């Protein structure tokens, strides 16, 4: 079953497209804006239908933000289709355009065509998005506003552990056991020093506040 993400601020259109693709055997996710789409993209859809004209973060900005981490086809839905708009969309990383109002059957056929091409060779990576950060777990890389944040191995291990369980509190002993291994011996102060370094690197890239201290207990990753 192919997974499709529909991003559009028009509720009626989201419902129409969702019903159509579900009837045709797709697993459907929807998002009403760019920020909600970032959360849904962590589930790695096979194709994205993306409205261009959305408030706050428009479709072109969202496409630019995610394209380095998302390899699936992105089809723009737009009411305008001037040459300049097409060029902007392709430069942002889009794969195709369909103009509103459109034939839903034509849209379905285009989606199928793009998915057939993708089936030839596709690799997925596990990525977590937020407005500021992108964490690529497969590449073991952290990005703040699109810039790579260099982390030492153990530093990324801590980020990986905490960010994979946002809102969950980990005490220092548990973090040490999970990152260094149950057979290793060390002091919990080592965790505090690693967290300090991670926070400094995040701060340098304008991404503060992701690792929160729970006094007397440990640390947790902030929910986005």
């Amino acid at each position: 079953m192919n997974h499709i993400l529909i991003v559009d601020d028009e509720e009626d259109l989201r419902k129409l497209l969702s019903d159509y693709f579900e009837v045709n055997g797709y697993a459907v996710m929807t998002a009403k804006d760019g920020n909600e789409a970032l959360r849904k993209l962590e589930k790695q859809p096979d194709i994205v239908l993306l409205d261009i004209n959305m408030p706050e973060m428009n479709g072109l900005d969202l496409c630019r933000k995610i394209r380095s981490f998302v390899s699936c086809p992105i089809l723009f839905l737009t009411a305008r289709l001037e040459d300049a708009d097409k060029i902007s969309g392709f430069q942002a990383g889009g794969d195709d355009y369909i103009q509103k109002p459109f034939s839903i059957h034509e849209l379905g056929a285009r989606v199928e065509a793009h998915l057939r091409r993708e089936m030839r060779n596709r690799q997925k990576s596990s990525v977590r998005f937020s407005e500021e950060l992108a964490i690529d777990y497969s590449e073991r890389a952290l990005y703040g506003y699109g810039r790579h944040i260099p982390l030492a191995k153990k530093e990324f291990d801590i980020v990986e552990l905490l960010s994979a369980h946002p809102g969950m509190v980990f005490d220092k002993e548990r973090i040490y056991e999970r990152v260094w291994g149950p057979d290793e011996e060390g002091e919990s102060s080592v965790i505090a020093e690693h967290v300090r370094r991670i926070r400094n690197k995040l701060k340098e890239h304008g991404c503060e506040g992701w690792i929160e201290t729970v006094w007397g207990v440990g640390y947790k990753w902030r929910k986005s």
Side-chain angles (χ1 to χ4, degrees), residues 10 14 24 30 41 53 62 89 102 115 121 134 165 185:
E10 296 180 36
R14 290 199 308 273
N24 284 276
T30 64
L41 281 161
N53 297 311
L62 176 62
F102 49 76
L115 288 173
N121 182 21
H165 305 87
E185 295 184 3

Side-chain angles (χ1 to χ4, degrees), residues 1 12-13 16 29 33 47 125 152 155 169 187 206 221:
M1 179 180 291
D12 291 343
L13 183 57
L16 173 67
M29 298 180 288
D33 56 38
I47 192 165
S125 62
E155 291 170 357
V169 180
E187 298 180 2
W221 191 262

Side-chain angles (χ1 to χ4, degrees), residues 65-89:
K65 187 177 186 67
I66 67 176
R67 193 29 120 187
S68 296
F69 311 99
V70 174
S71 60
C72 74
I74 297 175
L75 279 65
F76 285 121
L77 309 177
T78 180
R80 295 195 320 172
L81 202 56
E82 303 294 336
D83 286 345
D85 299 320
K86 288 184 180 180
I87 292 170
S88 296

Side-chain angles (χ1 to χ4, degrees), residues 94-141:
D95 296 283
D96 202 355
Y97 268 94
I98 189 160
Q99 187 171 9
K100 298 178 181 178
F102 49 76
S103 161
I104 197 166
H105 299 294
E106 180 188 351
L107 175 61
R110 289 202 193 188
V111 166
E112 288 181 10
H114 280 283
L115 288 173
R116 282 196 299 270
R117 292 191 202 104
E118 283 298 295
M119 289 302 293
R120 290 195 297 254
N121 182 21
R122 178 171 56 193
Q123 280 190 321
K124 290 184 179 180
S125 62
S126 177
V127 181
R128 180 176 294 277
F129 292 102
S130 74
E131 183 68 20
E132 303 169 358
L133 288 178
I135 308 171
D136 190 327
Y137 297 107
S138 301
E139 296 294 330
R140 292 180 59 80

Side-chain angles (χ1 to χ4, degrees), residues 32-80:
K32 65 181 181 298
D33 56 38
N35 289 325
E36 185 178 4
L38 288 174
R39 296 190 292 271
K40 298 290 180 68
L41 281 161
E42 293 170 9
K43 298 179 182 179
Q44 292 288 296
D46 298 295
I47 192 165
V48 177
L49 301 183
L50 179 55
D51 181 31
I52 289 182
N53 297 311
M54 295 187 295
E56 297 183 18
M57 187 191 309
N58 66 40
L60 295 176
D61 290 339
L62 176 62
C63 188
R64 292 186 190 98
K65 187 177 186 67
I66 67 176
R67 193 29 120 187
S68 296
F69 311 99
V70 174
S71 60
C72 74
I74 297 175
L75 279 65
F76 285 121
L77 309 177
T78 180
R80 295 195 320 172

